[in-house]
Structure formats: structure tokens, C-alpha cells
Amino acid sequence: MLDEAIKYLKKSDPVLKELIDTVGSCQLNHIPKQSNLLEEMTRAIISQQISTKAAQAIYQRFLELYTYQETLTLTPEAILDTPEHKLREVGISRPKIRYLQHLATRIIAGFPIIEELSAMDDETVITTLTQVKGVGRWTAQMLLIFRLHRLDVLPIDDLGIRKAIQNLYHLEQLPDKHSLNNLGQKWKPYRSIACWYLWQSLETTIKNNRTKIVN
């Protein structure tokens, strides 16, 4: 499926073709699938509006609160039983603590599990997930792309995607949502794959810039 998607994208967009040739094979579907909905959603909430590096560090400290003898015991009940000061100590803000608690409450009440979400269409998944406080459309779309492996998701609110497009298409300013949506039409039905490459372009740019500085 990925080979077919990449061939299609390279044929439909010369700019994306050059990027794909630079980045190489797509690793999107190589991401492990073992995590459950609670792990995915807590990670997504903790990661909001902070850098990837900071999010990874905080999330790791968060998981350590629920790890005993190398066994993860993260459950919604455990989150609700955790004193707020303990969550604050690992770097989680008060609003995000409220979001985590609300997520835990919803899961206990019978929130859909990953397998049930997998049977839903994209918009139904988004509508379902955004019932949780602090979970917006972008967060739901990240789960669609990275956990449910949906191939045609375009997160038009993603700043990284907009910045990558500005760089690659030599735009004077960041594209607005309408422009991004129009551009994404040529990538259908593989917009998730296109987005993965756009995200990679930001890393490629950083590496290239570092190389120039060193030389």
C-alpha cells in the first residue's frame, strides 16, 4: 500500500516527488501498535503546545509513576487516584491534569476502545474523541494517522505542515487553511503519507542547516 501511495504522490506533485526522493522510504506504518487508547490519549494531551523533546521527557516521567518492576500499570483508576502534586512534579500543567482526569472518567464510563474506533469512519472518530476535554480535532487526527493508520487525513491546523509547505513551495507567508486544503486535494487519497513527508522535511532542513554551519 505504501509503495502505491508513494508512486501516486510522486506523480501528482513534482515538489513532493523531490522531497520523497530526498527523505527516502516512508516509516509511517512502522510505528508500534501495542499501545492502548489510554496511553495514546494521555500522550496526546501531555504533548499539546510544547516541543516534542519536552513532551517525550514529561510523558516518560508520567509513565514512571505507574511502572512497578518494569510493568506498566497505567489505568484510568490509577490516574484518578494520583495526587495532583505528583502530576505537577513530573511537569504536567494544571489544565492538562484536568484533561487527564476527564479522560480517565470517560474511559471508566465506557469510552470506545481502539478496536471500536478502528471500525468507525474518520469523522466519527474525531467526533467521539473530541468529547474529552482538552482533545481537539488536531489531537484526534494525530491518533487517526499514527495509531489507526488512516491514509487520507490532512491536519490543516498543524503548524509544522503549514511551515513545511511554506518552505517547499517558496511561499512568502504561511498558507491559510483554505489554501492548504486546496493544495491537499492533489494528494488524495494519501494525504496522511504526504503529511508524514512534510514533517520529515522540517527535520531534513534542520540537518542541512547544521551541516552548513559546521562546514
Side-chain angles (χ1 to χ4, degrees), residues 16-94:
L16 208 56
K17 178 184 184 303
E18 184 175 349
L19 174 61
I20 292 171
D21 289 340
T22 300
V23 173
S25 60
C26 179
Q27 305 297 313
L28 184 57
N29 282 350
H30 292 183
I31 296 173
K33 301 180 180 180
Q34 291 81 7
S35 56
N36 58 36
L37 182 64
L38 182 61
E39 292 174 51
E40 293 288 347
M41 295 299 289
T42 53
R43 183 198 302 272
I45 289 171
I46 288 171
S47 300
Q48 292 172 356
Q49 298 180 331
I50 59 177
S51 70
T52 300
K53 184 177 181 180
Q56 290 174 341
I58 294 172
Y59 186 66
Q60 185 58 44
R61 293 197 295 268
F62 170 74
L63 291 182
E64 288 171 0
L65 293 175
Y66 309 99
T67 302
Y68 178 72
Q69 294 184 346
E70 298 185 356
T71 299
L72 182 63
T73 58
L74 178 63
T75 64
E77 292 83 1
I79 291 176
L80 293 175
D81 288 341
T82 304
E84 183 171 322
H85 74 272
K86 287 290 186 182
L87 296 171
R88 292 283 292 150
E89 286 174 359
V90 302
I92 302 175
S93 67
R94 286 189 175 88

